[in-house]
């Protein structure tokens, strides 16, 4: 009996709805039902034991058995990555020192759907499907007619959305006999997720954590070490890339670009080692689409359609994971939501960067990608949202932005933490610093609805909890937090070093 109660509680959290569905909603009328609108049959797997506890009025959302590739449905295909020396489109063999073959295939795939391996699905069942929750108490606090929903990824073992891609990445590496993987991490969310996945498949894991976050978030480092990873502050003395930065600035706070350079250097020089990336690349965004695919079904189940979809962006995987399946439905004409990316004012790659080919790392070791960039050697101020301190935006998100399928704004961190406090004190969850940006934007929109009287449906990405980020909350609560903004002079200097690529692709 106790286990049944627990399962019922889980189901209630996953399919939360504050009202009784109408007869039209129960039959699916008026909703954008994929089973009737899509020409592509979908396969979904179940979470054992949970299904029987669901009420008759709501059908269960199942874990998707396929990832969705937005590239297949875009009217204009994105520009290819270029070799860092020849400036010609990269070939699969150019990436083989860094990535396993299957991930290289996924990176360039034009297939609309890609099957999720059974072994990966088995691990996904530890936390998926994740709950879609209506923020009724936040709505009441804001006195808004808007209906606010958040898709909560903080229920994963690592506390964020990152295991959605760390698990398949490590599994594909293990299948090809790789013994060790290396990576970078900003706030530590990605490093934690990769360490977790490596512990499941028996691979060694080595992480370069951006120095600012390494110092601010010691428990993230301990979390990675608990799962067996070796963690270094970046820049470090271990690599040539790190030593060069430290010679120029011994007190460098580091950046994701620098940490990527260090990890890539180690992977490229060791035959039994591969590199894993937590955001930016197409295959990473692909894996995260389990979020949006689940969310579409969950919103169908409660008879809601989002008017606006909001997510924070650093490299872009969390935002892409939620929004890309909805963009597919938008392209089909089934829905018409505004899709809005939120970035930190101190690192505004979409809103202040240029759309150009640039390196993904500081040392210029990675392929050139056409993306919105602040320049590959731009080092943002050490804001508390360490996971959003990347100089560029995912090329696919940048391309979608250029096509006009989404919009972007930048918000300073004090407003973000003010919203996070409102969210925590009404909804109970303490957000990680990264999704506080989405929360702040959601609050802005909800207050506009209060002024206009519109009852919009707002869907936001709550990509992780902030249990290891309480030092940032202490700064805010004590009144010591300051808004850090980018320097125009600093950005101009960085953009001057962006490669000039004459060829058009």
């Amino acid at each position: 009996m106790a286990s049944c109660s627990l399962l019922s509680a889980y189901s209630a959290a996953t399919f939360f709805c504050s009202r009784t569905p109408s007869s039209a909603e129960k039959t699916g009328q008026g909703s954008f039902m994929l089973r009737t609108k899509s020409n592509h049959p979908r396969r979904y797997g179940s979470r054992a034991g949970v299904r029987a506890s669901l009420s008759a009025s709501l059908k269960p959302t199942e874990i998707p058995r396929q990832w969705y590739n937005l590239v297949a449905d875009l009217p204009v295909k994105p520009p290819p990555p270029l070799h860092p020396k020849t400036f010609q489109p990269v070939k699969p063999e150019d990436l083989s020192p860094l990535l396993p073959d299957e991930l290289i295939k996924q990176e360039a795939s034009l297939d609309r759907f890609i099957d999720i391996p059974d072994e990966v699905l088995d691990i996904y069942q530890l936390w998926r499907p994740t709950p879609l929750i209506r923020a009724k108490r936040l709505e009441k606090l804001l006195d808004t007619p808007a209906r606010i929903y958040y898709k909560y990824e903080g229920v994963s073992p690592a506390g964020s959305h990152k295991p959605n891609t760390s698990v398949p990445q490590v599994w594909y590496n293990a299948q090809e006999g790789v013994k060790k993987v290396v990576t970078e991490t900003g706030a530590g969310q990605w490093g934690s997720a990769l360490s977790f996945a490596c512990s499941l498949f028996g691979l060694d894991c080595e992480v370069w954590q951006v120095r600012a976050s390494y110092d601010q978030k010691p428990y993230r480092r301990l979390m990675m070490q608990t799962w067996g990873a070796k963690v270094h502050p970046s820049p470090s003395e271990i690599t040539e890339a790190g030593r060069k930065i430290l010679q120029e600035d011994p007190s460098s706070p580091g950046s994701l670009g620098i940490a990527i350079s260090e990890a890539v250097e180690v992977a490229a020089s060791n035959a039994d080692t591969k590199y894993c990336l937590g955001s930016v690349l197409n295959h990473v965004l692909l894996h995260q689409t389990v979020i949006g695919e689940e969310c579409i079904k969950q919103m169908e189940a409660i008879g809601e359609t989002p008017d606006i979809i909001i997510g924070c962006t650093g490299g872009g995987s969390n935002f892409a994971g939620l929004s890309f399946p909805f963009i597919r439905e938008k392209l089909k004409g089934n829905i018409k939501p505004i899709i809005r990316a939120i970035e930190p004012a101190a690192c505004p790659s979409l809103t202040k960067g240029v759309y150009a080919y640039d390196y993904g790392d500081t040392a210029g070791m990675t392929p050139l990608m056409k993306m919105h960039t602040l320049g590959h050697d731009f080092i943002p101020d050490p804001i508390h949202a360490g996971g959003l301190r990347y100089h560029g935006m995912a090329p696919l998100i940048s391309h979608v932005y250029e096509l006009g399928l989404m919009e972007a704004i930048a918000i300073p961190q004090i407003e973000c933490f003010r919203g996070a406090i409102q969210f925590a004190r009404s909804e109970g969850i303490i957000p990680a610093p990264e999704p506080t940006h989405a929360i702040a934007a959601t609050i802005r929109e909800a207050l506009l609805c209060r002024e206009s009287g519109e009852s919009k449906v707002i869907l936001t990405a709550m990509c992780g909890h902030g249990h290891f980020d309480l030092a940032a909350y202490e700064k805010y609560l004590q009144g010591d937090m300051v808004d850090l903004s980018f320097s125009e002079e600093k950005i101009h200097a960085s953009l001057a070093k962006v490669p000039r690529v004459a060829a058009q692709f």
Side-chain angles (χ1 to χ4, degrees), residues 113-336:
F113 297 108
I114 294 174
D115 290 343
I116 303 174
D118 289 340
E119 293 85 350
V120 172
L121 283 169
D122 183 60
I123 295 173
Y124 275 179
Q125 290 183 47
L126 291 173
W127 71 93
R128 305 216 70 86
T130 59
L132 173 69
I133 303 171
R134 182 170 174 185
K136 293 190 302 180
R137 294 162 187 82
L138 180 62
E139 293 170 12
K140 183 178 179 181
L141 176 68
L142 300 175
D143 189 26
T144 179
R147 299 191 297 284
I148 302 170
Y149 293 88
Y150 60 96
K151 179 69 165 162
Y152 183 45
E153 293 293 302
V155 296
S156 78
S160 76
H161 65 294
K162 294 292 188 178
N164 296 332
T165 185
S166 70
V167 170
Q169 285 192 51
V170 173
W171 184 80
Y172 286 123
N173 274 288
Q175 293 302 297
E176 295 187 19
V178 175
K179 303 300 182 184
K180 177 181 175 179
V181 296
V182 296
T183 196
E184 77 295 325
T185 191
Q189 293 278 18
W190 169 240
S192 300
L194 191 66
S195 304
F196 159 68
C198 286
S199 73
L200 297 179
F201 294 111
L203 273 66
D204 291 334
C205 181
E206 195 163 3
V207 181
W208 275 261
Q209 184 174 8
V210 173
R211 167 61 79 174
S213 292
Y214 184 93
D215 293 338
Q216 289 174 353
K217 306 177 185 201
Y219 294 107
R220 274 285 165 203
R221 168 174 49 81
L222 288 169
M223 194 175 190
M224 292 181 252
Q225 292 169 336
T226 298
W227 275 315
K230 184 181 292 185
V231 188
H232 311 288
S234 174
S236 74
E237 293 284 355
I238 297 171
T239 67
E240 183 180 343
R243 290 190 293 270
K244 181 179 178 182
I245 295 294
L246 289 174
Q247 287 173 1
E248 297 172 356
D249 180 7
S251 61
S252 171
S255 69
L256 279 168
I258 295 170
I260 291 171
S261 292
E262 296 204 80
V264 167
E265 180 181 324
V266 172
S269 58
N270 292 276
D272 66 345
T273 301
K274 296 289 186 182
Y275 170 68
C276 293
L277 187 65
S279 192
V280 179
L281 296 181
N282 288 1
H283 70 270
V284 182
L285 277 55
L286 172 81
H287 299 159
Q288 293 293 351
T289 58
V290 294
I291 301 172
E293 294 287 40
E294 282 180 7
C295 196
I296 283 177
K297 289 294 186 181
Q298 288 168 321
M299 297 208 81
E300 282 182 357
I302 57 177
E304 292 277 40
T305 301
D307 295 303
I308 181 167
I309 298 169
I310 296 172
C312 67
T313 49
S317 68
N318 149 70
F319 175 80
L322 178 63
S323 68
F324 279 8
F326 284 96
I327 291 176
R328 176 190 66 224
E329 299 305 308
K330 186 174 183 177
L331 288 169
K332 291 179 181 178
N334 295 335
I335 54 175
K336 298 179 180 179

Side-chain angles (χ1 to χ4, degrees), residues 59-80:
K59 294 182 179 180
T61 294
E62 298 173 334
I63 303 172
R65 294 191 64 90
Q66 294 174 310
W67 294 302
Y68 168 62
N69 182 13
L70 178 63
V71 176
D73 290 323
L74 290 178
V76 179
K77 303 308 177 191

Side-chain angles (χ1 to χ4, degrees), residues 70-80 110 112 355 396 399 403 505:
L70 178 63
V71 176
D73 290 323
L74 290 178
V76 179
K77 303 308 177 191
L110 296 178
R112 184 169 284 106
Y355 185 51
L396 188 50
H399 182 64
L403 292 178
F505 301 96

Side-chain angles (χ1 to χ4, degrees), residues 420-432:
I421 294 295
Q422 290 179 295
F423 188 90
R425 292 178 181 176
S426 58
E427 294 299 312
I429 297 171
I430 299 174

